[in-house]
């Protein structure tokens, strides 16, 4: 990539005294990234009760926070972070866009005050690697000044056509890159898509059954398609290539829990590790959908046990299982182990699985 750092320099700190970058992003469960407005007293009061019920709590400073409330949101997040023991729950924030008048104050306030508690900073409307490079250098300088011992990771949101076109270089722009989320609303506007929905499908985006030659006027079945399939798949590939994590973003129709679950599951099956939660009812959906089912883990463990050293092939229930099958199953088993470490109820379900001897 033109203008990129050499391989030997990539994992060196960008400021004297800054913590060394990570060479591998930790696989920490993040099924639901629950957004809250730190300037809203009612939301802020609920944060302690949400700890341990959700993998990630994110203090939102950007969209949904009015201009008049930007300072209150920033100061509110500092207060919440200082007063709260988050335990296994991660603390993230979404800063304002890089072209806004608030973002510099976001970073210069948060890193010195609560950088030791912040796990990830989410950067909106990332257009290319240059946006990540800017944040990367600034964070290194602020970390050094604050004597932080670990680097704060960065998460980008795909919200523009240019960002999607540059997704591979965004993923590889910095060792801080933790993952990428789909931002369907802003992306739809930037692409000039003809939908006003925040995520999810659209009844007009469909395929139709061929006509019956004997009854050409008969009603023909239609099948709604996924507007976001291409973008999510491309994002997943880019993230996998660089060893970081892909996420679905917001699902705006809070009342339609069925469609929300469907969208979350589509993303999970395609390779996403989590999603955003805009309302507490979406936390339960995300936690369930982005956790492998007991049936899937039972099958995966059975294949792992039957494959032994991982070579050759075996027949289970009339289906061939080989080394490729084993790799697929290990993805599920490893995820189950990570989730069981933080979710006692899920651990009990997984521990109850009995693997029959073949």
């Amino acid at each position: 990539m033109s203008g990129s750092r050499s391989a030997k320099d990539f994992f060196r700190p960008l400021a004297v005294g800054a913590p060394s970058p990570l060479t591998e992003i930790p696989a920490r469960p993040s099924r639901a990234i629950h957004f809250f407005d730190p300037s809203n007293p009612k939301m802020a009061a609920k944060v302690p009760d949400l700890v341990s019920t959700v993998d990630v709590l994110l203090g939102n400073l950007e969209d949904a926070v009015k201009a008049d409330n930007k300072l209150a949101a920033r100061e509110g997040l500092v207060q919440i972070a200082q007063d709260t023991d988050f335990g296994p729950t991660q603390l993230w924030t979404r800063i304002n866009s890089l072209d806004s008048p608030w973002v510099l104050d976001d970073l210069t306030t948060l890193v010195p005050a609560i950088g030791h508690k912040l796990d990830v900073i989410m950067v909106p409307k990332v257009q290319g690697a240059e946006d990540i490079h800017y944040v990367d250098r600034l964070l290194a300088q602020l970390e050094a000044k604050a004597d932080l011992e670990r680097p704060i990771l960065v998460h980008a949101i795909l919200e523009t056509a240019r960002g999607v076109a540059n997704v591979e270089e965004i993923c590889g722009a910095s060792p801080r890159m933790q993952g990428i989320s789909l931002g369907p609303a802003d992306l739809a506007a930037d692409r000039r898509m003809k939908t006003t929905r925040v995520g999810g499908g659209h009844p007009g985006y469909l395929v139709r059954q061929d006509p019956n030659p004997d009854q050409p006027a008969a009603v023909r079945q239609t099948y709604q398609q996924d507007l976001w399939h291409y973008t999510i798949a491309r994002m997943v590939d880019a993230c996998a290539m660089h060893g970081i994590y892909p996420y679905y973003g917001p699902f705006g129709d809070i009342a339609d829990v069925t469609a929300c679950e469907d969208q979350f599951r589509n993303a999970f099956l395609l390779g996403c590790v989590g999603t955003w939660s805009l309302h507490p009812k979406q936390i339960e959906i995300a936690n369930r959908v982005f956790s492998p089912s007991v049936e899937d883990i039972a099958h995966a463990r059975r294949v792992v046990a039957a494959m032994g050293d991982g070579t050759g092939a075996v027949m289970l229930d009339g289906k061939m299982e080989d080394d490729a099958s084993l790799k697929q199953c290990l993805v599920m088993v490893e995820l189950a182990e990570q989730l069981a470490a933080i979710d006692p109820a899920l651990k009990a379900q997984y521990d109850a699985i009995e693997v029959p001897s073949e």
Side-chain angles (χ1 to χ4, degrees):
M1 181 166 51
S2 176
S4 64
R5 283 177 277 172
S6 70
K8 66 179 181 180
D9 292 333
F10 192 70
F11 292 103
R12 290 181 179 174
L14 288 177
V16 175
S20 296
L22 300 180
T23 57
E24 184 176 359
I25 300 302
R28 300 183 66 184
S30 43
R31 295 164 292 180
I33 304 169
H34 185 65
F35 279 56
F36 68 91
D37 178 357
S39 70
N40 184 318
K42 290 184 179 180
M43 287 190 182
K46 294 177 181 178
V47 167
D49 293 333
L50 288 170
V51 169
S52 298
T53 69
V54 63
D55 297 340
V56 178
L57 281 166
L58 182 146
N60 184 28
L61 305 183
E62 197 219 10
D63 291 351
V65 177
K66 292 183 177 181
D68 292 345
N69 289 341
K70 295 293 186 180
L71 178 60
R74 188 186 305 131
E75 293 178 345
L77 179 57
V78 170
Q79 192 66 51
I80 290 168
Q82 291 175 341
D83 294 346
T84 306
D85 178 2
F86 290 93
T89 296
Q90 300 176 57
L91 176 63
W92 294 19
T93 186
R94 178 171 70 169
I95 58 175
N96 286 284
S97 62
L98 298 183
D99 61 353
S100 76
W102 306 290
V103 66
L104 190 58
D105 287 339
D106 289 344
L107 292 170
T108 56
T109 298
L110 296 180
V111 176
I114 59 171
H116 60 294
K117 282 195 168 184
L118 270 180
D119 294 289
V120 176
I121 289 177
M122 185 179 281
V123 183
K125 301 175 180 64
V126 173
Q127 299 271 28
E130 69 278 5
D131 289 340
I132 302 302
H133 295 160
Y134 168 76
V135 174
D136 194 6
R137 176 78 70 174
L138 184 54
L139 283 177
Q141 294 169 334
L142 293 170
E143 288 166 347
K145 190 174 181 179
D147 292 323
L148 297 187
E149 297 180 354
R150 60 166 179 79
I152 300 169
L153 300 181
V154 169
H155 183 107
I157 313 177
L158 286 189
E159 298 182 274
T160 68
R162 184 177 164 215
V164 174
N166 293 330
V167 65
E168 288 86 2
E169 71 171 41
I170 291 170
C171 287
S174 164
R176 290 184 192 273
M177 283 298 298
Q178 180 273 344
I180 291 191
S181 286
L182 172 68
D186 280 293
L187 180 56
D190 196 59
R191 284 175 167 171
R192 299 178 182 172
M193 294 169 63
K194 309 308 183 287
T195 177
T196 57
R197 301 182 176 201
V198 179
H202 191 287
Y205 193 69
L206 53 82
V207 294
R208 190 179 301 272
Q209 183 183 34
D210 287 345
N212 184 337
D214 298 325
Q215 296 178 302
V219 175
R220 295 153 60 185
Q221 183 67 49
T222 61
Y223 305 89
Q224 188 169 313
Q225 304 294 289
D226 185 354
L227 285 167
W228 305 108
H229 181 90
Y230 157 77
T231 308
I232 293 174
R234 182 168 182 182
M235 178 181 71
V236 167
D237 284 344
C239 287
M241 180 174 77
H242 287 280
I244 66 176
Y245 302 102
Y247 297 76
Y248 181 72
F251 188 88
D253 191 344
I254 306 300
D256 193 348
V257 294
T258 300
C260 175
E261 180 169 339
D262 290 341
Q263 182 68 78
F264 287 1
R265 182 164 288 106
N266 287 349
F268 174 67
L269 291 172
L270 277 173
C272 289
V273 300
T275 187
W276 298 8
S277 165
L278 305 182
H279 188 277
K281 69 171 65 175
Q282 292 184 342
I283 295 175
E284 186 278 329
I285 300 172
N287 284 349
R288 175 164 40 83
V289 170
F290 286 90
S291 302
S293 69
V294 169
E295 293 76 16
D296 284 342
I297 295 306
H299 173 74
R301 288 180 180 173
R302 189 178 171 204
V303 171
V304 171
M307 281 296 296
D309 65 1
T311 61
V314 296
M315 294 294 292
L316 292 179
D317 301 329
K319 298 178 182 178
M320 186 196 77
E321 309 285 358
D322 59 9
D323 62 328
S325 308
L326 177 62
K327 293 173 185 175
Q328 290 177 291
C329 291
L330 287 173
V331 169
M332 305 287 272
V333 170
E334 289 169 5
L335 176 56
E337 292 172 351
Q338 294 162 8
L339 295 175
I342 67 161
D343 190 326
L346 206 54
K347 182 180 187 302
Q349 294 178 44
Y350 291 156
D351 286 349
I353 296 172
E354 295 183 3
V355 179
S357 57
E358 302 299 335

